[in-house]
Structures are given as C-alpha cells and as structure tokens.
Amino acid sequence: MSETAAFRVDVDLGERSYPVHIGPGVRALLPGLVAAAGAERAVVVSARPRGLLPALGVETLWLAAADGETGKNLAAVAGLCERFARFGLTRSDVVISCGGGTTTDTVGLAAALYHRGTPVIHLPTSLLAQVDASIGGKTGVNLPEGKNLVGAYWQPRAVLCDTEFLATLPPRERVNGYGELARCHFIGAPGLAALPLERQIARSVALKASVVARDERDQGLRHVLNYGHTLGHALERATDYALRHGEAVAVGTVFAGRLAGALGRIPPARVREHRDVVASYGLPTALPAGVDHDTLIAYMRRDKKAEGHALTFVLDGPGGPALVAGVPEELVRAELAAMPRDGARAVASPPVPAP
Ligand code: GLY
C-alpha cells in the first residue's frame, strides 16, 4: 500500500488476482480497465446517475439499479441476465456494477451466472461496500428465509473505491459503513477510528485481501470476516432490514464480545472494549426493543456458518478470533436477555418462514 492519497491494494489469487484502487477520482481508471479486459461491449448497472461515470469507449448499455435489501433477490438477477442477453453481451465483454453493497452483490451474482461467468468490475459507492462488500468475490442475494442464502464466488477484474462518491452519503449510511470498520478492530486491524477515511478504507481492504488470498472459499480463516455477523444477519432479517447491515453487525459485535466473555474466552475488560469500540464510531450497541429472541435464534440457526443448525459464532479468544460451534442455546438466550434495549429502534419481528 503506498502512502499517497490514492492507494492500491492487490487481492492475490494467482491468475485471478486483481487491484483495488482507493481514492478520490479513481473511477477515471474505468475506461482503461474496460480496454484491458478486451471487451467490445459493457453493461453498466448503476445506482448513481450516469453522468458521474466516464464514457467507456465501447458500446454500452446503461441500466438503473435501486440500492436496498428489498431488491436483492433472484428475480432481480434474472431480470439483469435477460437484459444482458437482449443486448448481445458475451463472456468476452464486461459488466460494471456501481452502487452500494446490495448492487455489487446482485450484479456480481448476475455476472457470475451469465454465460457461466462474465467479467465484472465493481465501483462501490457506499462506505460499507468500499470497506467490505465489493472485495473478495462473494456475490449473493436474499431469500425470504434469510440473508445472502443464494450466491456464488466470482472475483471481479478490479474494484474502484472512489471516495468522491462518499461525500454525498447521508449520515446514517456513512455510520452504517463504520459497522464493518469497527469489527476490524477485533480481527487484525485495531485503531482504524483515528485514521483519515482513505486510509481506513485501504487498511480494511488490505486486511480483507490478506484473508481472502489465504481462504478464498470460506473453508476456515475467512470466517473471521464474519465477526459480529451471526447475530448481525439475524437482526437484519428479524427487523425486516429496518436495521442496516453495519448497524446490525455493530450490535452483533457487542454481543460476540459478551458471549466470548460468558464462555470465559476473554476477560471483562476485553468485553467492555467491544462496546467501547463500537460506540466510538457512533454505532448502536443495544438490541432494538421488541425484537423477538425466538426469531433471532431461528435465523441464527440458519446462518451459513452453522453446522447442522448448531448456534455458531466467530468469537474472540486467547489465540484471536475463532469459529465456535455448538454454543449452548441457554447461554445465547441469557446473553440476549442481558443486552441493553434501544427504545428508539423498537421493532416487531415478522414471523420466520416455516421450514
Ligand atoms: N463479508 C464477509 C466475507 O466477504 O467473507
């Protein structure tokens, strides 16, 4: 990583390696990347106005995307693939996603499936997508039964984290991105809160790149990136996505600290550090009032990390974070009951879809 305002981090995956460029104005690199891919056509799926992106120098179909969890589903993927086909896109061409994590996830999955794999370049425009979602090749969509339950690994050709896109983010969306930065504190990148924004993004991307290079397909080490996510994903689903991803991961991180403390894996001071780090970013640290604990437990048992529906968490410990399966339900219930409640984020949980 260089020390200038623009950073480049490489995700080292042999012949599928790719650069992540971070800094103001890096979207200007897009036409060169399209030319380097040898594409004759491009489809741009963008949640931002077309005028914000440079002309690509090849025949281009521009499609509008709507960021948001409600449009992150298989129907959206099918709709995109149909548009690609009608445009005559081939797998020597390129798909470009421009938007938040829901856009990069959905468009990434469409690119992974179309012609069994078409090159994709991501231009994440939210902080959350720049620090995490667009990096590492996980693509996916939600089912009514849970979040990100259908997906594919499909590495992009490049990721352009243009920090100019962040200037207009609403405050809640910016804080949402901090959720993934706060969890970095416990998985190998402490002290990010004090850094300038570009450097925060670059450090988070570098951490993720080093993990993905060693465990692309989530066989072990990559689980650490899901710190705080077992409860986080359940909270998102149980609140019908009223709680944003980063907010939910923040609460999940506080909870993971409490659970690790209750299991004797970390001392009380480290449990408090979880709460303090999350709070220092202005993120929520309490459960939304009204969220139903049975619902949370049902969704946590459907988590992708869970083996045989055992309650499974990534938890801090003497040797660092590790996947801990089979956490007793009574303990999880007791810690949920002991969490503070946030009356300002009160929700009623919709019913869990039946098996
Ligand atoms: N967001 C977690 C991962 O990419 O593995």
Side-chain angles (χ1 to χ4, degrees), residues 132-133 135-136 138 180 183 208 212 218 222 225-226 229 245:
D132 182 66
I135 318 293
K138 277 189 184 174
E180 297 285 12
R183 70 89 164 87
K208 184 156 188 181
V212 169
D218 228 347
R222 189 166 177 166
L225 298 173
N226 271 314
H229 284 57
H245 179 68

Side-chain angles (χ1 to χ4, degrees), residues 16-312:
R16 291 174 298 109
S17 298
Y18 56 94
V20 181
H21 296 275
I22 301 141
V26 296
R27 64 188 183 280
L29 299 172
L30 191 55
L33 291 166
V34 170
E40 290 182 2
R41 289 181 201 78
V43 178
V44 181
V45 187
S46 181
R48 294 296 189 106
R50 175 175 168 169
L52 290 177
L53 295 179
L56 302 180
V58 296
E59 190 186 352
T60 304
L61 173 67
W62 297 83
L63 299 176
D67 275 337
E69 294 289 344
T70 48
K72 188 177 148 175
N73 53 41
L74 283 167
V77 173
L80 286 172
C81 290
E82 286 163 18
R83 298 298 301 270
F84 297 169
R86 274 183 255 147
F87 180 57
L89 198 77
T90 74
R91 65 180 173 209
S92 345
D93 294 321
V94 67
V95 173
I96 292 155
S97 78
C98 178
T102 54
T103 295
T104 59
D105 277 3
T106 309
V107 178
L109 181 57
L113 297 176
Y114 185 72
H115 286 197
R116 299 196 180 89
T118 302
V120 65
I121 298 171
H122 295 308
L123 274 81
T125 60
S126 69
L127 182 57
L128 191 104
Q130 294 196 357
V131 299
D132 182 66
S134 65
I135 318 293
K138 277 189 184 174
T139 69
V141 293
N142 303 332
L143 296 179
E145 288 73 14
K147 187 170 156 90
N148 289 347
L149 293 188
V150 180
Y153 292 94
W154 187 241
Q155 298 295 344
R157 292 294 174 98
V159 181
L160 300 177
C161 298
D162 193 324
T163 50
E164 285 176 1
F165 284 125
L166 306 180
T168 52
L169 284 186
R172 186 175 175 195
E173 188 49 52
R174 179 176 285 256
V175 172
N176 186 40
Y178 291 151
E180 297 285 12
L181 289 178
R183 70 89 164 87
C184 285
H185 185 93
F186 301 99
I187 61 171
L192 296 191
L195 299 178
L197 185 65
E198 269 96 17
R199 203 168 289 258
Q200 286 180 325
I201 298 167
R203 289 278 291 275
S204 173
V205 170
L207 171 68
K208 184 156 188 181
S210 74
V211 171
V212 169
R214 285 178 284 161
D215 178 22
E216 181 185 7
R217 298 222 159 204
D218 228 347
Q219 298 300 302
L221 178 67
R222 189 166 177 166
H223 292 325
V224 301
L225 298 173
N226 271 314
Y227 202 79
H229 284 57
T230 305
L231 179 61
H233 281 163
L235 271 172
E236 280 182 89
R237 187 64 195 88
T239 61
D240 227 357
Y241 302 102
L243 211 59
R244 312 292 311 279
H245 179 68
E247 296 168 342
V249 167
V251 179
T253 297
V254 174
F255 184 71
R258 296 180 69 113
L259 215 45
L263 286 166
R265 294 175 57 85
I266 55 172
R270 182 72 168 167
V271 176
R272 283 195 298 278
E273 193 176 333
H274 281 71
R275 194 208 156 278
D276 293 348
V277 167
V278 168
S280 75
Y281 283 95
L283 285 156
T285 57
L287 282 179
V291 71
D292 180 62
H293 295 185
D294 290 336
T295 303
L296 291 176
I297 286 175
Y299 284 124
M300 287 194 276
R301 287 194 183 282
R302 286 182 188 169
D303 188 86
K304 291 188 294 305
K305 295 184 294 306
E307 288 165 16
H309 301 296
L311 288 166
T312 303

